[in-house]
Structure formats: structure tokens, C-alpha cells
Amino acid sequence: GENVEQHPSTLSVQEGDSAVIKCTYSDSASNYFPWYKQELGKRPQLIIDIRSNVGEKKDQRIAVTLNKTAKHFSLHITETQPEDSAVYFCAASSGGGADGLTFGKGTHLIIQP
Amino acid sequence: DSGVTQTPKHLITATGQRVTLRCSPRSGDLSVYWYQQSLDQGLQFLIQYYNGEERAKGNILERFSAQQFPDLHSELNLSSLELGDSALYFCASSVALVPVDEQFFGPGTRLTVL
């Protein structure tokens, strides 16, 4: 089955700086890669996703890049703000419909004022 | 608010007992997923239903079972509970099977097994 590795487990950045979280996946059949943000005690919420036919996607301060050959994808957050502090999860899915999401272990992002 | 509802919010029970967690998907969503979140295992996919039929199984124990009813709500049944089953259980829903799309998560049910 699919295996998703996520790094780092904790990331502390100064407010206004950029943050990058990286994930690798093992199953070449995976073609859908969402990123979820989870605040303490809350549900995971989708912040951005990318499909395998696209190399990069951007939404305001958030961007995701995908390298299918290397089987890795990354989340980039620019101009970080205190409200960006949360745990971020990457995930992968085969996209075939009969498949749940395989999640990475999560990155605790801390924005220092 | 994602539109996905889960009950109860909290559940405290003893080892060996059986509990049922309930999920109502967003209006119009046919696909329901169950996930378990614990400190040591992270977020793990358990099982998926689509329009009443089981479509995929993940790391679901044999002591656990689920079903999706004609009104599309789903229930996750956990039996012979062990201390290690203590976790946050999330239900998520999405519109269709393909193309795979955003899964909307419910608020979760926190299960504590004493």
C-alpha cells in the first residue's frame, strides 16, 4: 500500500518568513495530493490540493509543487502569520475512487512573533 | 462548519464494551470515509462507503465494522474495546467516487476507553 513520509515534524519560523513542508510517497499510482490544516482539537481542513497532471498550484500565500518522477510534493507558505500556526498534514490517494487518503505524520508549524 | 455532523462528541467507556459512532455526510455527498487519529498512529484511513456499499478498507481492525444506510448516514461500530482504541474518530464525506475530490471532515468523536 501507499506510504507517505512528511518532514519536518516541527517547524518554527519568524512571522513574515516562508515555511516549506516536504512529503514523499511510494505508490506511483497516486495522483491526488491534498494538504490539510488542523488546529488543536479541531477537524482537518483542506487548504490546497494538486493532481498529478499539474506541477504547481498556488492560492494566495499558499503553493504546492509536485515532482512525479521523484515522488515528492511540497507545501510553501509565504509571509507567514500567527494564524498559520497549526499542524499540517500531506496526503496521497490513488484517485481511483475506491481509496481513502494516506496521511503523513504531520508538521507542527509554529509562527514566532 | 463543513456540513458533516458526528455524534456523540465525546464517549467514555470501559474495556470490553461496544460503542457506535454516527456520521451524517454533507447534503448530496454519496461517499463516506472513516478515519482514526491517535498520537502514535497519526491519521489512519479505516473504511469507505459509497451510496450504501463498502468500497475500500484501510487499517480497520476485525473488531470494528461500519455500514451506510439508505439515507446515507453511516455508523462505525467498535466492539471488545481496548485501551489502545482511545482516539479521535473522524468521518469525512465527498461528492462522488471519481474524480477523487476534497473530503470534508466532521468535528470528530473523541473516544476514551478506561
Side-chain angles (χ1 to χ4, degrees):
Chain A
E2 176 64 278
N3 181 51
V4 176
E5 299 281 343
Q6 182 171 349
H7 299 281
S9 56
T10 303
L11 178 60
S12 181
V13 301
Q14 292 288 340
E15 182 178 350
D17 287 351
S18 295
V20 180
I21 302 170
K22 298 182 179 182
C23 289
T24 59
Y25 62 98
S26 61
D27 189 351
S28 56
S30 289
N31 60 11
Y32 175 66
F33 307 93
W35 286 88
Y36 281 83
K37 174 183 180 183
Q38 186 178 29
E39 297 176 356
L40 191 62
K42 302 284 184 65
R43 63 187 173 90
Q45 289 187 271
L46 182 77
I47 56 171
I48 196 166
D49 56 12
I50 192 167
R51 299 178 194 278
S52 58
N53 57 348
V54 175
E56 184 174 359
K57 184 176 177 181
K58 193 172 181 181
D59 182 3
Q60 299 183 336
R61 297 186 297 109
I62 294 173
V64 57
T65 58
L66 171 65
N67 183 325
K68 276 202 72 177
T69 303
K71 293 186 198 165
H72 68 70
F73 56 115
S74 300
L75 177 71
H76 304 253
I77 305 175
T78 59
E79 301 172 11
T80 53
Q81 300 167 5
E83 54 265 35
D84 294 330
S85 293
V87 179
Y88 291 80
F89 292 94
C90 62
S93 169
S94 70
D99 188 11
L101 295 172
T102 300
F103 284 89
K105 292 291 188 186
T107 296
H108 185 194
L109 177 61
I110 301 165
I111 307 301
Q112 304 277 6
Chain B
D1 185 2
S2 65
V4 180
T5 60
Q6 289 186 248
T7 56
K9 284 187 179 178
H10 302 277
L11 199 47
I12 301 174
T13 188
T15 54
Q17 294 298 304
R18 173 189 169 93
V19 296
T20 297
L21 313 183
R22 182 187 169 104
C23 166
S24 292
R26 291 187 323 154
S27 177
D29 284 1
L30 298 177
S31 201
V32 170
Y33 306 79
W34 285 97
Y35 293 88
Q36 179 194 58
Q37 185 173 35
S38 61
L39 280 175
D40 53 342
Q41 296 293 329
L43 257 173
Q44 287 203 308
F45 166 63
L46 296 178
I47 197 164
Q48 176 199 10
Y49 278 80
Y50 176 79
N51 204 21
E53 291 188 10
E54 180 187 306
R55 293 306 299 252
K57 270 188 173 179
N59 299 313
I60 189 166
L61 299 172
E62 285 192 10
R63 301 183 285 108
F64 295 1
S65 64
Q67 53 186 326
Q68 187 179 27
F69 294 86
D71 67 352
L72 301 177
H73 91 271
S74 178
E75 293 181 357
L76 179 67
N77 301 295
L78 315 177
S79 61
S80 303
L81 285 168
E82 302 175 0
L83 295 177
D85 297 328
S86 295
L88 194 51
Y89 290 84
F90 287 106
C91 163
S93 73
S94 64
V95 173
L97 271 183
V98 286
V100 68
D101 209 341
E102 177 177 359
Q103 292 183 24
F104 295 86
F105 281 74
T109 293
R110 183 169 296 281
L111 173 66
T112 303
V113 183
L114 300 175

